[in-house]
Amino acid sequence: MKRITLLLSLLCLFTHFNLYSQTLARIKKEKELKVCTSAGYAPFEVKSSSGKWIGFDIRMFELFAKKLNVKLNMIDIRWEGVFPALLAGKCDFITGGMSITKEREKVISFSDPIYKSGNSLVISAKNKEKFKTLTDLDKEGVKIAVKTGNTADFFLKKVLKLAKIYRFDTNADLVTAVLENRTDAFAQDSIFSLMAEQEHKQKLHVLSDKINYEDLAVGIRKKDKSLLKEFNLFLSEWKKNGGYAEAVQYYLETDEWRAELKQK
């Protein structure tokens, strides 16, 4: 009986390993690459009013899918659900301006960095003289908004001593919280922070110093080594042929991409 149990356990283990080691082959066979993310994190991934996916990550995965000769299927779920979705096999990659952290590396593998960024603090423009640094904000009664599960959330939870953290589900909630004076600031990726400041001129202000710096990457299951190797090769080639620099300039350094929001 014990021998049968052991054999069944080994068979399950082999099947589990084989499932993940064959992910790349399965993608090519089924002609579909599935990527989970949370829409609304412009300029990395956002949906137009017509439902079209737009953004830096979208272009990147469209090109990767093209290289594999498969179609791209973007799956929109809440941010806190992307890691469970990946581990459950509902998608092949997860993305979303995602920072590489030691905690996350315990659960998933990361690609080579796709961009170097960090988190910034955004306050109401009327408080520019009152709040100039994170230290100025770390006072009794001060409220700082973060997106649940974001690296800014984890960072501030460690360093703040007096200010209170308020957690929200979306980036739009962060902006609204400051605009409506429900919080004194919000912390988010520097690219999104600058974009929010540009959208709400005279109303929002980004503090000059980032609160931390970090590399952004896409996530994959630990056992999908062949798929990860294929993606990193694609990323390296994309950088060498100039396509990467073009995408960075278009999506991350200018507002040119906004024209796509009006396209059907």
Side-chain angles (χ1 to χ4, degrees):
M1 188 68 179
K2 288 184 178 180
R3 176 179 290 182
I4 294 175
T5 302
L6 178 59
L7 287 173
L8 287 173
S9 297
L10 289 172
L11 178 61
C12 289
L13 183 62
F14 173 78
T15 302
H16 178 79
F17 176 78
N18 192 54
L19 171 67
Y20 288 109
S21 66
Q22 298 301 316
T23 300
L24 179 57
R26 188 261 303 159
I27 290 171
K28 291 182 177 181
K29 180 179 179 181
E30 297 180 356
K31 296 289 184 179
E32 182 182 38
L33 175 68
K34 293 179 285 187
V35 180
C36 287
T37 190
S38 180
Y41 190 43
F44 288 96
E45 44 270 317
V46 66
K47 285 183 178 180
S48 69
S49 56
S50 65
K52 179 183 177 182
W53 283 94
I54 296 166
F56 178 85
D57 287 350
I58 309 305
R59 177 180 287 190
M60 177 177 67
F61 275 111
E62 284 176 342
L63 292 172
F64 181 51
K66 183 178 181 180
K67 179 184 178 183
L68 297 179
N69 193 29
V70 302
K71 70 174 184 178
L72 174 63
N73 180 9
M74 296 298 303
I75 302 172
D76 185 12
I77 57 179
R78 291 165 67 97
W79 177 248
E80 57 268 32
V82 296
F83 288 88
L86 176 68
L87 297 177
K90 294 181 180 179
C91 45
D92 308 304
F93 285 92
I94 56 175
T95 191
M98 186 168 53
S99 306
I100 300 173
T101 68
K102 291 182 179 179
E103 291 80 8
R104 290 171 176 171
E105 285 181 316
K106 294 176 182 177
V107 181
I108 66 171
S109 291
F110 284 99
S111 68
D112 292 339
I114 62 171
Y115 192 73
K116 190 168 188 67
S117 186
N119 289 299
S120 294
L121 287 161
V122 183
I123 62 172
S124 172
K126 64 184 180 182
N127 290 327
K128 286 196 293 185
E129 298 304 317
K130 182 179 180 181
F131 301 124
K132 295 185 177 181
T133 66
L134 176 59
T135 301
D136 294 335
L137 282 160
D138 194 12
K139 304 286 176 61
E140 285 283 357
V142 171
K143 303 172 183 177
I144 302 178
V146 299
K147 185 176 179 181
T148 304
N150 182 267
T151 52
D153 180 2
F154 298 133
F155 179 80
L156 292 178
K157 186 166 58 177
K158 292 179 181 178
V159 302
L160 290 179
K161 297 178 180 178
L162 301 173
K164 193 170 182 180
I165 296 174
Y166 284 73
R167 295 176 175 85
F168 295 87
D169 291 332
T170 70
N171 289 324
D173 292 336
L174 303 182
V175 175
T176 301
V178 174
L179 291 175
E180 295 183 352
N181 298 313
R182 288 189 280 122
T183 64
D184 300 285
F186 76 75
Q188 183 51 287
D189 179 88
S190 298
I191 296 172
F192 176 82
S193 298
L194 290 170
M195 188 182 69
E197 181 186 52
Q198 292 169 0
E199 284 185 1
H200 302 278
K201 293 179 180 178
Q202 312 304 320
K203 292 184 179 181
L204 295 179
H205 173 69
V206 180
L207 299 190
S208 58
D209 292 336
K210 292 182 181 180
I211 59 176
N212 66 331
Y213 291 86
E214 52 200 20
D215 287 327
L216 306 184
V218 302
I220 191 170
R221 288 180 292 268
K222 283 185 173 293
K223 292 185 178 181
D224 284 343
K225 295 180 180 179
S226 296
L227 181 58
L228 179 60
K229 182 178 179 180
E230 190 78 11
F231 179 83
N232 283 336
L233 178 60
F234 153 78
L235 184 61
S236 176
E237 292 173 347
W238 192 33
K239 290 181 178 180
K240 288 178 181 177
N241 67 27
Y244 172 84
E246 179 184 312
V248 167
Q249 190 275 332
Y250 181 78
Y251 288 104
L252 308 180
E253 296 178 352
T254 71
D255 284 337
E256 293 179 44
W257 64 273
R258 289 184 180 279
E260 294 185 48
L261 292 173
K262 301 176 182 179
Q263 299 175 3
K264 294 184 179 181

